[in-house]
Amino acid sequence: QSSSSGYSGNGYSSSSSSSSSSSSRRGRHKKDPRAAERAALAALVHNAPGESVEWVNMCFRKIWRVYQRGLERWITDLLQPVFDALISPASEPSWLLRLRIVEFTLDHEAPVFSNMRRRNSRKDSDLTGVVDLRYTGGARLLLMLELGRGRWRFKIPVLVSDLDVQCALWLKLRLAPMCPWVGTISLAFVGPPAVKVQLSPYNRVRLMRVPVLQVTLRGRHTR
């Protein structure tokens, strides 16, 4: 009887520990139930075989050079509202009052596409796919930071250069029955992009080479 009671005691303890561990695992899963699904989808996208699409790179290089100035204005108009939304009275740091784009220029080197994978769509008018993108061109962005509190304010020009972006990009083209034959173009990142950049106040001090500031600044400009 003592052995059976000891066995049952161990059984109860093991079942309670297993139930507690299973409940803790369920609690962890409740935090983000779709995290595993998104990770599996991202791994599937990255590991799927694709095409080299050299003809796309050839066409895009020509488009890049012809429409370069228009692309610069479009990207500037796209980024400035994003910067304005980041600066608010409740944002950190509180002494950063404004972030304004002074100048944005693109180099003649266009982004490179590779490993394109086709994706199915329910609509006949949609062309959908996922492609790897790498940009190491000479894009330069001049920002004007307005800092201070109260009456004490000053401005610091910061040059953003040496941009290196690597990502998987989801692309959808919706065709139209009239010229220019493409109604909308939709873009989205499949996962967080890998971004490297150099920040230089007054075009002199390279902040991304300072070990203490490197991690903090990388986390902020890639958020």
Side-chain angles (χ1 to χ4, degrees):
Q1 292 179 353
S2 60
S3 61
S4 62
S5 62
Y7 174 78
S8 61
N10 293 335
Y12 288 137
S13 62
S14 62
S15 62
S16 61
S17 61
S18 61
S19 61
S20 62
S21 60
S22 61
S23 62
S24 63
R25 286 196 298 269
R26 285 196 298 269
R28 287 196 298 269
H29 288 307
K30 287 181 180 179
K31 296 180 180 179
D32 193 356
R34 301 190 61 186
E37 181 182 350
R38 288 196 297 266
L41 179 60
L44 179 63
V45 168
H46 284 289
N47 297 330
E51 303 176 12
S52 60
V53 293
E54 286 300 325
W55 64 273
V56 174
N57 290 319
M58 180 194 67
C59 295
F60 198 78
R61 280 194 297 267
K62 294 182 178 294
I63 295 173
W64 184 268
R65 292 168 183 171
V66 172
Y67 298 105
Q68 180 176 342
R69 299 308 176 197
L71 287 172
E72 292 172 352
R73 291 191 296 269
W74 177 71
I75 295 176
T76 301
D77 295 338
L78 190 68
L79 290 179
Q80 187 60 61
V82 176
F83 291 159
D84 294 338
L86 291 175
I87 308 301
S88 64
S91 62
E92 294 290 339
S94 59
W95 40 264
L96 179 58
L97 304 177
R98 192 182 180 192
L99 185 61
R100 182 172 60 90
I101 299 176
V102 178
E103 183 181 3
F104 177 68
T105 57
L106 293 171
D107 193 64
H108 292 293
E109 183 179 352
V112 178
F113 299 94
S114 62
N115 196 25
M116 178 174 283
R117 289 86 77 193
R118 182 179 62 87
R119 291 292 176 264
N120 295 327
S121 177
R122 296 180 179 179
K123 292 187 176 181
D124 294 336
S125 59
D126 290 352
L127 300 177
T128 309
V130 176
V131 64
D132 293 340
L133 181 142
R134 180 72 183 274
Y135 178 73
T136 56
R140 296 166 68 90
L141 176 64
L142 181 59
L143 299 173
M144 185 64 69
L145 276 66
E146 185 174 346
L147 311 174
R149 289 181 179 177
R151 296 182 301 173
W152 304 99
R153 299 188 179 187
F154 57 95
K155 298 179 179 180
I156 298 179
V158 177
L159 179 65
V160 182
S161 60
D162 298 340
L163 180 62
D164 186 347
V165 180
Q166 186 172 4
C167 63
L169 199 65
W170 175 83
L171 172 67
K172 183 178 76 172
L173 274 68
R174 177 155 294 177
L175 305 180
M178 59 186 69
C179 188
W181 317 117
V182 177
T184 58
I185 300 177
S186 302
L187 302 172
F189 291 115
V190 176
V195 180
K196 296 179 181 179
V197 73
Q198 186 62 248
L199 303 176
S200 305
Y202 298 102
N203 197 15
R204 294 182 181 275
V205 183
R206 295 182 174 266
L207 296 181
M208 297 304 291
R209 294 184 180 177
V210 180
V212 178
L213 298 175
Q214 186 176 12
V215 177
T216 302
L217 292 175
R218 181 179 290 116
R220 287 189 174 274
H221 72 250
T222 56
R223 183 181 303 173

